[in-house]
Structure formats: structure tokens, C-alpha cells
Amino acid sequence: MRNYFKPAVFLLSLWPLIIIGYQIFYNKLGPEPVDRIINHFGEWTLIFIILTLSISPLRKLTNSTEWIKFRRMFGLFTFFYASIHMLSYVCLLYTSDAADDTP
């Protein structure tokens, strides 16, 4: 049973990417899609930072070392979503603003 926890947490951690992929594919991002993409990944970055930082207090409260097995995965997903957030800001917002300034 324990062998299935880590792949399940991995697949659940991909859920924000699946959500935004669905919204892009079916054109459900709203009137400002670039802002929606940037805010989506920024919010999920904060959620994963909180998850990552809450692992050590959970371990101390429950006296279980099972939580530590997920800390690295949550930290890597935090970096992944923070990187996508930064790249979407630079590539989508900055380049679209630069294109608006050209005569």
C-alpha cells in the first residue's frame, strides 16, 4: 500500500498543470489569458511552498517519519511551478508589452 503513495502524490501535484492545460485547450482563460496563466502558477507556487514548509512540523506533531519522504518532491514541484511562473511572466507578459510599444 505504501508503494502507491509517492506516485499518487506525484500525479496529484501535476493537477495545476492539467487544469491550466484544459483551460488553454478549451479557451476558458477569460478576458485576460496571460494574467490568468501567470496568477495561476504564482498561486500554486505559494501553495507548494506552504506544503513543503509544513512537512517538518507535521513530522514533529505526528512522530512519523513518513512525511519526510514527500518533502523533496514538494520542494521540486515548488521550483517547477515557480520556474513556470517566472518564465510565463517573462515570455508572455514582457514580450506582449514590448510588442505593444512598437510603432
Side-chain angles (χ1 to χ4, degrees), residues 7 17 45 65 102:
L17 198 61
T45 300
T65 58
T102 58

Side-chain angles (χ1 to χ4, degrees), residues 7-21 40-41 48 77 80-81:
V9 170
F10 182 84
L11 291 175
L12 283 174
S13 297
L14 289 175
W15 184 250
L17 198 61
I18 294 168
I19 290 171
I20 203 72
H40 178 79
F41 286 119
F48 275 99
F77 271 107
F80 174 67
Y81 287 121

